Amino acid sequence: MSSPDPQVRAARNRATPAAARGPVVAVTGAASGIGALLAERLAASDEIKQVVAIDERRGECAAAQWHILDVRDPSIAEKLRGVDVVVHLALDLDLESDPAARTAYNVRGTQTVLTAAAAAGVHRVVLCTSAMVYGALEDNDLPLSEDAELRATAEATGVGDLLEIERLARRAPRAHPGLNVTVLRPAVLVGGTDTALTRYFESPRLLVVAGSRPVWQFCHVEDLCSALEYAVLEKAEGELAVGCDGWLEQEEVEELSGIRRMELPSTVALGAAARLHRIGLTPSPAGDLAYTMYPWVVSGTGLHDAGWRPQWTNEEVLAELLEEVSGRHTVAGRRLGRKDATAAGAAGATVALLGAAAVVRRARRRRGI
């Protein structure tokens, strides 16, 4: 969504009493991704007084007041003076990031923002994690209620960081009385995103682990931004799940996508994924596979009770995802170049998984192990 002309916005703001223009909102990670989309959305809203954008580089939202700094810098507290709500979206969930560096950035950044917000007199912080924190487990309810126990482990990409952020969110109001913390947990996020779960649909075959029951629930970034705006405006609070209504069974996904399945025993699939990741051939740890095996669908009751509704259906989001990944080729979580993809063909996933032991042996020989 594009922002209004700055002169038009300025004239509108002069004509509107300050008390009627809503909160001043700071958005971290505002230069790209969801942060950029949210900054533009809030800047265009008549219910928002001012957007303060924070990132390590300047983004394109001309209507925002920009501060260029790392969110781990304690001086961020000074930049938050006069801010009513902070939406913290400066997270690194890149598959290719060094795990230790990623955790240091995500956890320290969230700690700093929460502490700085309290020091600056901010009354609400909105965080965004993922519905993955519930864990993908065979005995999960379908759908999960928002107050279900968080049973995920740190075995999947970035989930350990998200669990720690959830713990920080729950402790913050006790450590900083008067600070309200709202957490949004989106389902599989689609719309310019690159995750192990979106890469699943770049494979020549959809891997299905024998005996599992995959079900799919998506969340379009536009719906996430509208849910974040609800939280900013205090229309909903607490721990809120975000996603399309309902879910798709694996068979429906295969029919809609036109991609056939490749079914493997769990010992083969999980063992191969672990070995390939251990020697550095794929970015995704074996724990990512669980989220393609078992349900982690959420109900979204909190937002629904507040009057929010998703504008996208699971079918529509899947169609957009398939369009986004068209032309990309991923085998066992590793994105291939055009030459690699041509050589791999439709059997590539089978070779990558069933031939994992041979790959490991070749890699060890090259390293002299």
Side-chain angles (χ1 to χ4, degrees):
M1 180 183 296
S2 60
S3 61
D5 182 273
Q7 292 182 340
V8 173
R9 180 175 174 81
R12 182 185 69 196
N13 286 348
R14 285 194 298 270
T16 307
R21 293 203 303 266
V24 175
V25 184
V27 180
T28 69
S32 61
I34 301 164
L37 293 173
L38 181 65
E40 292 283 4
R41 182 186 183 96
L42 296 179
S45 171
D46 290 331
E47 297 183 85
I48 303 299
K49 181 178 180 180
Q50 176 66 52
V51 174
V52 176
I54 299 173
D55 209 318
E56 294 175 58
R57 63 179 178 86
R58 188 181 179 89
E60 297 180 1
C61 184
Q65 175 186 340
W66 282 90
H67 296 297
I68 312 303
L69 80 165
D70 188 315
V71 291
R72 294 169 293 181
D73 187 337
S75 69
I76 193 173
E78 290 302 317
K79 312 304 181 186
L80 297 180
R81 299 288 177 190
V83 168
D84 300 299
V85 184
V86 175
V87 185
H88 178 48
L89 297 174
L91 295 178
D92 178 8
L93 297 175
D94 193 320
L95 286 172
E96 312 295 341
S97 293
D98 173 72
R102 181 173 58 210
T103 295
Y105 180 79
N106 291 337
V107 176
R108 178 65 182 277
T110 303
Q111 286 175 324
T112 304
V113 167
L114 287 168
T115 303
V122 173
H123 76 267
R124 176 179 293 254
V125 174
V126 180
L127 303 176
C128 186
T129 61
S130 167
M132 294 176 78
V133 296
Y134 290 107
L137 301 161
E138 190 172 6
D139 63 346
N140 273 348
D141 290 337
L142 195 61
L144 289 160
S145 63
E146 283 165 316
D147 61 359
E149 181 183 357
L150 305 188
R151 298 198 290 163
T153 66
E155 296 172 355
T157 303
V159 173
D161 297 358
L162 299 179
L163 288 169
E164 182 57 30
I165 289 170
E166 292 273 354
R167 285 190 282 270
L168 292 170
R170 290 183 175 180
R171 288 200 297 263
R174 296 194 297 271
H176 309 290
L179 182 65
N180 176 292
V181 179
T182 294
V183 181
L184 271 66
R185 302 167 178 158
V188 179
L189 200 56
V190 174
T193 59
D194 177 26
T195 67
L197 294 167
T198 59
R199 287 191 183 188
Y200 178 82
F201 293 92
E202 298 177 15
S203 299
R205 294 286 185 269
L206 298 179
L207 173 63
V208 176
V209 176
S212 68
R213 186 202 169 180
V215 292
W216 292 89
Q217 180 187 37
F218 300 99
C219 178
H220 196 277
V221 293
E222 290 179 359
D223 281 338
L224 176 57
C225 283
S226 72
L228 287 166
E229 185 176 16
Y230 252 65
V232 163
L233 296 172
E234 302 186 20
K235 296 178 181 179
E237 62 180 16
E239 297 167 345
L240 305 168
V242 194
C244 299
D245 291 335
W247 61 87
L248 298 173
E249 299 283 350
Q250 181 72 19
E251 292 76 15
E252 295 177 281
V253 167
E254 292 168 16
E255 182 178 353
L256 289 167
S257 67
I259 308 174
R260 289 181 291 172
R261 72 168 59 193
M262 177 181 66
E263 190 162 317
L264 293 175
S266 61
T267 52
V268 173
L270 292 168
R275 289 192 293 272
L276 289 168
H277 181 67
R278 190 166 57 248
I279 64 171
L281 291 183
T282 64
S284 297
D288 286 344
L289 261 184
Y291 291 89
T292 70
M293 294 171 61
Y294 300 118
W296 49 291
V297 170
V298 288
S299 65
T301 303
L303 281 165
H304 282 223
D305 288 349
W308 178 89
R309 292 292 183 274
Q311 298 303 302
W312 291 72
T313 66
N314 283 304
E315 291 84 354
E316 290 168 341
V317 180
L318 176 59
E320 173 147 322
L321 172 57
L322 293 171
E323 184 175 346
E324 280 189 8
V325 304
S326 178
R328 299 177 190 166
H329 304 277
T330 292
V331 169
R334 175 176 172 264
R335 188 168 286 158
L336 305 178
R338 186 171 298 176
K339 183 177 180 181
D340 293 330
T342 302
T350 307
V351 172
L353 289 165
L354 295 180
V359 172
V360 171
R361 286 195 296 272
R362 286 198 297 273
R364 284 177 173 168
R365 283 198 296 269
R366 284 197 298 271
R367 298 176 183 180
I369 299 175

